[in-house]
Amino acid sequence: MITSSSQASVRNAIDAYFAGERRDALAFTLLGAANLGAALTVLLALADQRLLSLALATIGLLELVPGFWAIRRQGIRYAEALARQRGDPEGWRAEESARLARVLDARRRLRIADAVFVLAFVVVVMLTPPGERLAWLAVPGQMALLPLLNIAMARRTRRFAAALAAP
């Protein structure tokens, strides 16, 4: 049987988890917008750097589209979580715990993808003509942010899973 203090603790965990997910989705979306802005700036200011502009625009779109989707989806998931937790707390806990296990597994795989992405970027920079390498260094800042964002999301997911596992 779930006590009211346990329900309050789970409610606080739900609030904290989804607030963090919305913040991260917003940060991811803003990174995409910044990359699109950088792509436009490079295209207009450095005519000989069209490939860099294309790379920045591609990365920007790959961040912007899922970022908007995630922002929209987080509000829906939050409302669903609250409704399910009120209606069937034990069933919701079991389902959400299983979902969180899948999320943590996906985050582990994403760390591998992050490493491959960084390695691919290093290869691209090495293949770039020496006079253009400096311009390409605009990309690594975000490449450091994405793995950090993934780590923060994984930690928040583990905290949420632990709160659900607590009696």
Side-chain angles (χ1 to χ4, degrees), residues 64-142:
L64 200 62
V65 172
F68 276 130
W69 176 83
I71 289 170
R72 188 179 136 290
R73 182 72 179 132
Q74 288 311 314
I76 295 167
R77 290 254 324 116
Y78 175 68
E80 288 172 354
L82 291 178
R84 285 288 318 264
Q85 197 254 343
R86 277 191 301 269
D88 180 14
E90 289 300 324
W92 175 79
R93 225 179 236 222
E95 288 174 17
E96 192 65 12
S97 293
R99 185 188 75 82
L100 292 174
R102 289 190 308 271
V103 167
L104 286 170
D105 184 51
R107 296 251 180 256
R108 279 188 286 278
R109 284 184 265 131
L110 187 56
R111 275 190 244 143
I112 295 167
D114 286 339
V116 168
F117 188 60
V118 168
L119 183 60
F121 174 75
V122 168
V123 169
V124 167
V125 170
M126 289 173 53
L127 294 174
T128 304
E132 298 177 10
R133 285 187 185 147
L134 188 59
W136 277 88
L137 294 178
V139 179
Q142 78 146 5

Side-chain angles (χ1 to χ4, degrees), residues 41-76:
T41 301
V42 168
L43 183 65
L44 296 175
L46 304 168
D48 60 334
Q49 295 292 322
R50 286 196 176 116
L51 185 59
L52 174 60
S53 180
L54 178 63
L56 288 169
T58 302
I59 292 168
L61 286 174
L62 288 173
E63 292 168 342
L64 200 62
V65 172
F68 276 130
W69 176 83
I71 289 170
R72 188 179 136 290
R73 182 72 179 132
Q74 288 311 314
I76 295 167

